[in-house]
Amino acid sequence: MDTDLPPIPFLDLKAQQARLGPGLRARIDAVLAHGQFILGPEVTELEQRLAAFCGAAHCVSVSSGTDALQIAMMAEGIGPGDAVFLPAFTYTATAEVPLLLGATPVFVDIDPATFQIDPAHLEARIGAVNAAGLLRPRAVVGVDLFGQPAPWPALRDIAARHGLFTLDDCAQAFGAALGGERLGRAADATATSFFPSKPLGAYGDGGALFTESDERAALYRSLRTHGEGTTRYDVQRIGMNGRLDTLQAAVLLAKLDVFEAELARRETIARRYDEALASVFATPVRVPESSSAWAIYAVLLRDGAAREAMQARLRARGVPSAVYYPKPLHHQPAYRASHDGAALPVSEDVATRIMALPLHPDLDDAQVARVIEACLEGAADAAG
Ligand SMILES: *Cc1c(COP(=O)(O)O)cnc(C)c1O
């Protein structure tokens, strides 16, 4: 293999910027010209386009994916004494938010094939919380991990039987679909993130909430601006400063023009990896009847030593890899004390041997071929 080639970028926002062309600058210049940096016209336009994109009745843009989760939980009045069920294998923000509000995260294990929250274990965990009688089951947060949808039909059914609020942590999966419908309406509320590395990324922090409920949408708008009522100086409730900047909305509008094409390119690359690498790794198992936004293409290796060796071999060939996530949340120092000690063996096992390959819309065919070749060579080294 030619090792003189430059390293492949895990994420290539500069290439994307070049591809976006003058439309991006025009959007930014328009904001600089009108000067409405907070809740300017681009924010409204973006909210309308995002709602239309996923078929949701309401979109409320906010300052980050984390703030979207927080506003959604604040609107339900989630707080001390409340149990919020969420997967142990996810990004930290999913568990951080209920803890910030004084609620208790109850960690649920994941499906070993799809890495999504395991509905059977959710049911068992709700039963255990009810039996213990210390916390009130209030909400389930389904995370659409790595860009694939969580098992929403099963989660909704369980939530309905136990009277739980459903919140879709769709930070990694805006643009994904389940049963032919884009995510955004799968739960009572859907929170997404526009962090630069997410499938639809801004040039800074940003996020959005989606809901079918007029009441919830009105509460989200109030909560993102300090709990305001009908005027700015009428404070109805405790809220936060949680608005999306107009400049970020302008960037997202330019990116939205190419987003469907980017999703298609991600899918093409994922299929190429699936076909070429199934003999080397456990390649991603698709959630039935879904399409992924492919935030992350994650494979499983035999064990931690095999992962470490493979990462080193890829690095030597200029191919980056990453580990999402090296630790399940119940092992994080900050969250350990709030875990009730239930066994979460799948989350623990997956964390030791999962590995992500580069997958973004600006990987060209030659780069994809290089990633594949490096993985095949790395496997041959391991065997030989
Ligand atoms: C990125 C992410 C978040 C947080 O989004 P920010 O915009 O960075 O605050 C929340 N949940 C998951 C699963 C994420 O991947």
Side-chain angles (χ1 to χ4, degrees), residues 64-66 69 90-91 93-94 143 169 171-172 193 195 198 206 325:
S64 71
T66 306
L69 294 170
T90 174
Y91 183 61
T94 319
V143 178
D169 181 344
Q172 300 178 2
S193 164
F195 186 84
K198 310 285 181 176
Y325 296 94

mmCIF file of all heavy atoms in Angstrom, residues 64-66 69 90-91 93-94 143 169 171-172 193 195 198 206 325, ligand 1:
data_model
loop_
_atom_site.group_PDB
_atom_site.id
_atom_site.type_symbol
_atom_site.label_atom_id
_atom_site.label_comp_id
_atom_site.label_asym_id
_atom_site.label_seq_id
_atom_site.Cartn_x
_atom_site.Cartn_y
_atom_site.Cartn_z
ATOM 1 N N SER A 64 -28.165 23.998 21.899
ATOM 2 C CA SER A 64 -27.367 22.776 21.751
ATOM 3 C C SER A 64 -28.284 21.575 21.903
ATOM 4 O O SER A 64 -29.439 21.700 22.333
ATOM 5 C CB SER A 64 -26.261 22.702 22.816
ATOM 6 O OG SER A 64 -26.818 22.462 24.092
ATOM 7 N N GLY A 65 -27.739 20.412 21.602
ATOM 8 C CA GLY A 65 -28.500 19.176 21.819
ATOM 9 C C GLY A 65 -28.740 18.935 23.292
ATOM 10 O O GLY A 65 -29.820 18.455 23.695
ATOM 11 N N THR A 66 -27.758 19.263 24.110
ATOM 12 C CA THR A 66 -27.896 19.087 25.555
ATOM 13 C C THR A 66 -29.010 19.989 26.090
ATOM 14 O O THR A 66 -29.847 19.553 26.894
ATOM 15 C CB THR A 66 -26.555 19.416 26.253
ATOM 16 O OG1 THR A 66 -25.525 18.636 25.647
ATOM 17 C CG2 THR A 66 -26.621 19.108 27.736
ATOM 18 N N LEU A 69 -32.414 18.594 25.281
ATOM 19 C CA LEU A 69 -32.825 17.556 26.240
ATOM 20 C C LEU A 69 -33.302 18.201 27.541
ATOM 21 O O LEU A 69 -34.316 17.817 28.129
ATOM 22 C CB LEU A 69 -31.658 16.600 26.546
ATOM 23 C CG LEU A 69 -31.159 15.721 25.389
ATOM 24 C CD1 LEU A 69 -29.848 15.024 25.789
ATOM 25 C CD2 LEU A 69 -32.205 14.680 24.998
ATOM 26 N N THR A 90 -24.198 5.460 25.758
ATOM 27 C CA THR A 90 -24.558 6.653 24.989
ATOM 28 C C THR A 90 -23.587 7.759 25.368
ATOM 29 O O THR A 90 -22.705 7.571 26.206
ATOM 30 C CB THR A 90 -26.016 7.091 25.245
ATOM 31 O OG1 THR A 90 -26.275 8.345 24.574
ATOM 32 C CG2 THR A 90 -26.288 7.308 26.718
ATOM 33 N N TYR A 91 -23.773 8.928 24.734
ATOM 34 C CA TYR A 91 -22.974 10.098 25.081
ATOM 35 C C TYR A 91 -23.399 10.616 26.454
ATOM 36 O O TYR A 91 -24.559 10.481 26.854
ATOM 37 C CB TYR A 91 -23.175 11.182 24.010
ATOM 38 C CG TYR A 91 -22.345 12.412 24.223
ATOM 39 C CD1 TYR A 91 -20.958 12.330 24.238
ATOM 40 C CD2 TYR A 91 -22.936 13.643 24.435
ATOM 41 C CE1 TYR A 91 -20.184 13.462 24.452
ATOM 42 C CE2 TYR A 91 -22.171 14.786 24.634
ATOM 43 C CZ TYR A 91 -20.793 14.672 24.645
ATOM 44 O OH TYR A 91 -20.039 15.800 24.857
ATOM 45 N N ALA A 93 -24.247 13.407 27.736
ATOM 46 C CA ALA A 93 -25.313 14.399 27.927
ATOM 47 C C ALA A 93 -26.654 13.751 28.270
ATOM 48 O O ALA A 93 -27.464 14.336 28.995
ATOM 49 C CB ALA A 93 -25.464 15.252 26.663
ATOM 50 N N THR A 94 -26.892 12.545 27.759
ATOM 51 C CA THR A 94 -28.182 11.883 27.983
ATOM 52 C C THR A 94 -28.438 11.673 29.476
ATOM 53 O O THR A 94 -29.577 11.790 29.942
ATOM 54 C CB THR A 94 -28.223 10.534 27.231
ATOM 55 O OG1 THR A 94 -27.634 10.680 25.947
ATOM 56 C CG2 THR A 94 -29.647 10.036 27.073
ATOM 57 N N VAL A 143 -32.220 6.735 22.717
ATOM 58 C CA VAL A 143 -31.137 7.376 21.958
ATOM 59 C C VAL A 143 -31.017 6.658 20.616
ATOM 60 O O VAL A 143 -30.916 5.433 20.578
ATOM 61 C CB VAL A 143 -29.799 7.278 22.722
ATOM 62 C CG1 VAL A 143 -28.660 7.893 21.905
ATOM 63 C CG2 VAL A 143 -29.903 7.950 24.084
ATOM 64 N N ASP A 169 -33.660 11.132 22.019
ATOM 65 C CA ASP A 169 -32.356 11.785 21.891
ATOM 66 C C ASP A 169 -31.828 11.434 20.500
ATOM 67 O O ASP A 169 -31.184 10.417 20.290
ATOM 68 C CB ASP A 169 -31.397 11.321 22.989
ATOM 69 C CG ASP A 169 -30.034 12.010 22.888
ATOM 70 O OD1 ASP A 169 -29.737 12.591 21.820
ATOM 71 O OD2 ASP A 169 -29.252 11.948 23.861
ATOM 72 N N ALA A 171 -29.767 13.198 18.690
ATOM 73 C CA ALA A 171 -28.589 14.035 18.412
ATOM 74 C C ALA A 171 -27.740 13.473 17.282
ATOM 75 O O ALA A 171 -27.110 14.209 16.542
ATOM 76 C CB ALA A 171 -27.744 14.183 19.676
ATOM 77 N N GLN A 172 -27.714 12.141 17.144
ATOM 78 C CA GLN A 172 -26.850 11.525 16.134
ATOM 79 C C GLN A 172 -27.626 11.105 14.887
ATOM 80 O O GLN A 172 -27.044 10.529 13.973
ATOM 81 C CB GLN A 172 -26.161 10.286 16.739
ATOM 82 C CG GLN A 172 -25.305 10.630 17.950
ATOM 83 C CD GLN A 172 -24.646 9.417 18.586
ATOM 84 O OE1 GLN A 172 -24.793 8.305 18.114
ATOM 85 N NE2 GLN A 172 -23.931 9.651 19.682
ATOM 86 N N SER A 193 -29.143 17.627 17.769
ATOM 87 C CA SER A 193 -27.963 18.469 17.965
ATOM 88 C C SER A 193 -27.390 18.869 16.618
ATOM 89 O O SER A 193 -27.391 18.076 15.679
ATOM 90 C CB SER A 193 -26.900 17.685 18.746
ATOM 91 O OG SER A 193 -25.629 18.317 18.643
ATOM 92 N N PHE A 195 -24.153 20.085 16.665
ATOM 93 C CA PHE A 195 -22.710 20.087 16.918
ATOM 94 C C PHE A 195 -22.022 19.789 15.585
ATOM 95 O O PHE A 195 -22.531 18.995 14.793
ATOM 96 C CB PHE A 195 -22.390 19.015 17.975
ATOM 97 C CG PHE A 195 -20.961 19.012 18.428
ATOM 98 C CD1 PHE A 195 -20.538 19.875 19.425
ATOM 99 C CD2 PHE A 195 -20.032 18.149 17.857
ATOM 100 C CE1 PHE A 195 -19.217 19.869 19.847
ATOM 101 C CE2 PHE A 195 -18.707 18.142 18.267
ATOM 102 C CZ PHE A 195 -18.294 19.006 19.273
ATOM 103 N N LYS A 198 -22.020 16.277 13.922
ATOM 104 C CA LYS A 198 -23.262 15.512 13.747
ATOM 105 C C LYS A 198 -23.658 15.507 12.264
ATOM 106 O O LYS A 198 -23.182 16.359 11.499
ATOM 107 C CB LYS A 198 -24.393 16.120 14.587
ATOM 108 C CG LYS A 198 -24.036 16.367 16.042
ATOM 109 C CD LYS A 198 -23.991 15.096 16.871
ATOM 110 C CE LYS A 198 -23.642 15.486 18.307
ATOM 111 N NZ LYS A 198 -23.655 14.407 19.253
ATOM 112 N N GLY A 206 -25.514 24.087 18.511
ATOM 113 C CA GLY A 206 -26.906 24.328 18.145
ATOM 114 C C GLY A 206 -27.703 23.058 18.345
ATOM 115 O O GLY A 206 -27.131 21.963 18.492
ATOM 116 N N TYR A 325 -18.226 4.119 22.745
ATOM 117 C CA TYR A 325 -17.701 4.895 23.845
ATOM 118 C C TYR A 325 -16.822 3.974 24.657
ATOM 119 O O TYR A 325 -17.203 2.827 24.866
ATOM 120 C CB TYR A 325 -18.861 5.442 24.696
ATOM 121 C CG TYR A 325 -19.703 6.413 23.877
ATOM 122 C CD1 TYR A 325 -20.827 5.963 23.213
ATOM 123 C CD2 TYR A 325 -19.313 7.730 23.724
ATOM 124 C CE1 TYR A 325 -21.567 6.828 22.417
ATOM 125 C CE2 TYR A 325 -20.055 8.608 22.938
ATOM 126 C CZ TYR A 325 -21.175 8.153 22.293
ATOM 127 O OH TYR A 325 -21.898 8.983 21.502
HETATM 128 C C1 LIG B 1 -23.928 15.033 20.729
HETATM 129 C C2 LIG B 1 -24.918 14.382 21.609
HETATM 130 C C3 LIG B 1 -25.663 15.105 22.558
HETATM 131 C C4 LIG B 1 -25.385 16.533 22.906
HETATM 132 O O1 LIG B 1 -25.434 17.421 21.867
HETATM 133 P P1 LIG B 1 -24.687 18.838 21.998
HETATM 134 O O2 LIG B 1 -25.227 19.629 20.874
HETATM 135 O O3 LIG B 1 -23.223 18.566 21.890
HETATM 136 O O4 LIG B 1 -25.048 19.419 23.319
HETATM 137 C C5 LIG B 1 -26.646 14.439 23.266
HETATM 138 N N1 LIG B 1 -26.876 13.135 23.080
HETATM 139 C C6 LIG B 1 -26.174 12.393 22.190
HETATM 140 C C7 LIG B 1 -26.500 10.946 22.024
HETATM 141 C C8 LIG B 1 -25.164 12.990 21.434
HETATM 142 O O5 LIG B 1 -24.458 12.263 20.574
#
